[in-house]
Amino acid sequence: MKLLNRLIFGLVFTLSIGCDSDETKKGRFLLKGNEKLAENDPKSAISFYNEALNLDSAYADAYFNKAMAHRQLNELAETITDLNLAITYKPDYYEAIFQRGMAYLDNGEFYKAREDADRLLKLDPENWKSYFIAGLSQEKLKNYPAALEGFEKAATLQPENSDLLVNQATILFYQKNYQSAKELLVKAEELNPTEPNLHNLRSMILFEEGQVNEALTSVEKAITLDNRQAYFYNNKGLYLLFLDRPEEALELINQSIQMDAKNPFAFRNKGIYYVMKGDKTSALQYLSELAADYPEMELVQEYYSKAQDL
């Protein structure tokens, strides 16, 4: 469902004209940095942005572009630091505030992301991205009605964006309103049938409704469309467990963990695997901690109890 993973970060471009002043020099360094970033060389890009900042330490656009280079390197702390500086020197810098909010979300700083969403709503209440990030931050804080309201408003401002319908459907899934979620997914598919998160979410709904074979077909379609998402493989592994194909399932769950070692759902699924294999020690190794840390996670309590009874 993650639209934020596909948002293209727009770099700021400055054209150099006239005499070779500091103003034009810093613009050239900015452009050289952008060229390196376009060549997938963010480290060199950062060097050029620093050259621009050596000429003008209050150059907000250079801080912004440098932050985007750090983001490409998955250096979230550095990304946030540079965005803070961009906003310090340009307080109404909408895109910098938006990207900082996104970085806060990725960094687990959900309350700060919500603060940036509130700031964006004041700056530009007619921009769909203001409501999008508001919805994302409320989702992370498990305030689902507010999250749904944010995504709905974003969708009214950008009705052709299928991802925003998938976002709404995801919240409805969390609320166990499966019928309404499925109806939104139909609309999203009409706009963009190749959206992988749509098919993954549909698979999750089908699994909850007991249609495991259909869930497997749907998540396989998601993987065909995007083979880089760890949680797709983890979901496929879960469905294979319930289709009595445990060894295939374990291989996929392990693959998911290798891709993303922070996903508790993958460790839950591995615990379920060991319960199904009758391995009490290994099952409890995974499920005991999850039962304490994520007591409301689907299937955790059920399989923790089964592991204890082995």
Side-chain angles (χ1 to χ4, degrees):
M1 104 61 183
K2 300 291 182 182
L3 171 61
L4 67 163
N5 289 333
R6 300 211 311 276
L7 281 171
I8 299 173
F9 304 139
L11 298 178
V12 176
F13 291 84
T14 301
L15 295 177
S16 299
I17 57 176
C19 61
D20 201 26
S21 64
D22 282 352
E23 192 70 22
T24 57
K25 285 178 182 178
K26 74 178 187 181
R28 288 194 188 113
F29 283 127
L30 192 79
L31 287 172
K32 287 179 180 179
N34 293 349
E35 289 169 1
K36 288 298 181 182
L37 202 56
E39 294 169 3
N40 199 30
D41 185 2
K43 291 184 178 179
S44 295
I46 289 169
S47 296
F48 282 116
Y49 297 140
N50 282 333
E51 292 288 350
L53 289 165
N54 287 336
L55 293 169
D56 181 357
S57 62
Y59 194 5
D61 291 340
Y63 284 118
F64 176 82
N65 287 15
K66 185 168 166 248
M68 297 302 94
H70 282 301
R71 185 70 184 266
Q72 193 167 315
L73 291 166
N74 199 32
E75 296 172 346
L76 289 175
E78 291 84 353
T79 299
I80 292 168
T81 295
D82 282 329
L83 289 170
N84 284 340
L85 288 164
I87 296 162
T88 295
Y89 293 113
K90 192 174 176 182
D92 292 342
Y93 201 155
Y94 183 95
E95 191 61 25
I97 299 167
F98 176 78
Q99 295 297 345
R100 185 176 67 178
M102 301 288 259
Y104 280 145
L105 287 169
D106 283 347
N107 208 38
E109 298 179 79
F110 305 141
Y111 286 101
K112 288 184 178 180
R114 188 176 66 180
E115 289 173 5
D116 274 346
D118 291 341
R119 190 167 174 177
L120 292 171
L121 288 166
K122 292 177 182 177
L123 274 176
D124 190 352
E126 297 305 315
N127 191 323
W128 71 272
K129 293 199 298 186
S130 303
Y131 297 93
F132 171 66
I133 197 167
L136 288 175
S137 59
Q138 295 288 5
E139 177 188 346
K140 291 297 186 181
L141 293 168
K142 300 188 184 302
N143 188 352
Y144 296 140
L148 186 60
E149 182 180 347
F151 293 139
E152 287 174 343
K153 180 62 176 178
T156 63
L157 293 169
Q158 197 174 69
E160 298 304 310
N161 190 330
S162 64
D163 298 281
L164 297 173
L165 296 177
V166 177
N167 288 132
Q168 292 176 61
T170 300
I171 301 301
L172 292 168
F173 170 77
Y174 293 154
Q175 295 176 323
K176 300 187 184 300
N177 187 347
Y178 301 140
Q179 184 57 40
S180 295
K182 287 190 292 185
E183 290 170 2
L184 278 174
L185 290 180
V186 170
K187 293 179 181 178
E189 190 168 13
E190 290 172 355
L191 291 172
N192 182 11
T194 61
E195 166 50 54
N197 292 301
L198 180 162
H199 298 287
N200 178 66
L201 180 58
R202 180 174 285 148
S203 80
M204 295 165 68
I205 295 170
L206 289 166
F207 177 76
E208 291 296 329
E209 293 179 333
Q211 301 180 65
V212 187
N213 280 302
E214 292 82 354
L216 180 63
T217 299
S218 194
V219 80
E220 285 176 339
K221 187 167 185 178
I223 291 170
T224 299
L225 293 167
D226 184 354
N227 62 8
R228 299 165 298 174
Q229 301 302 327
Y231 54 99
F232 292 178
Y233 294 99
N234 184 53
N235 284 347
K236 183 177 178 181
L238 176 66
Y239 308 153
L240 289 173
L241 284 175
F242 283 84
L243 290 170
D244 198 25
R245 294 160 62 180
E247 301 313 317
E248 293 175 71
L250 182 62
E251 183 177 346
L252 287 163
I253 294 164
N254 284 335
Q255 180 181 348
S256 177
I257 292 170
Q258 288 175 353
M259 295 170 72
D260 178 6
K262 297 181 180 180
N263 182 5
F265 290 92
F267 295 104
R268 177 203 66 183
N269 292 351
K270 200 160 183 177
I272 292 173
Y273 165 83
Y274 284 115
V275 170
M276 292 181 171
K277 299 297 288 186
D279 184 341
K280 180 175 183 176
T281 300
S282 297
L284 288 174
Q285 177 185 344
Y286 288 98
L287 295 171
S288 297
E289 187 173 343
L290 288 170
D293 294 343
Y294 302 94
E296 296 180 1
M297 183 185 291
E298 295 286 343
L299 300 175
V300 165
Q301 298 298 337
E302 176 184 350
Y303 278 87
Y304 178 51
S305 178
K306 288 182 178 182
Q308 291 173 310
D309 291 340
L310 288 174

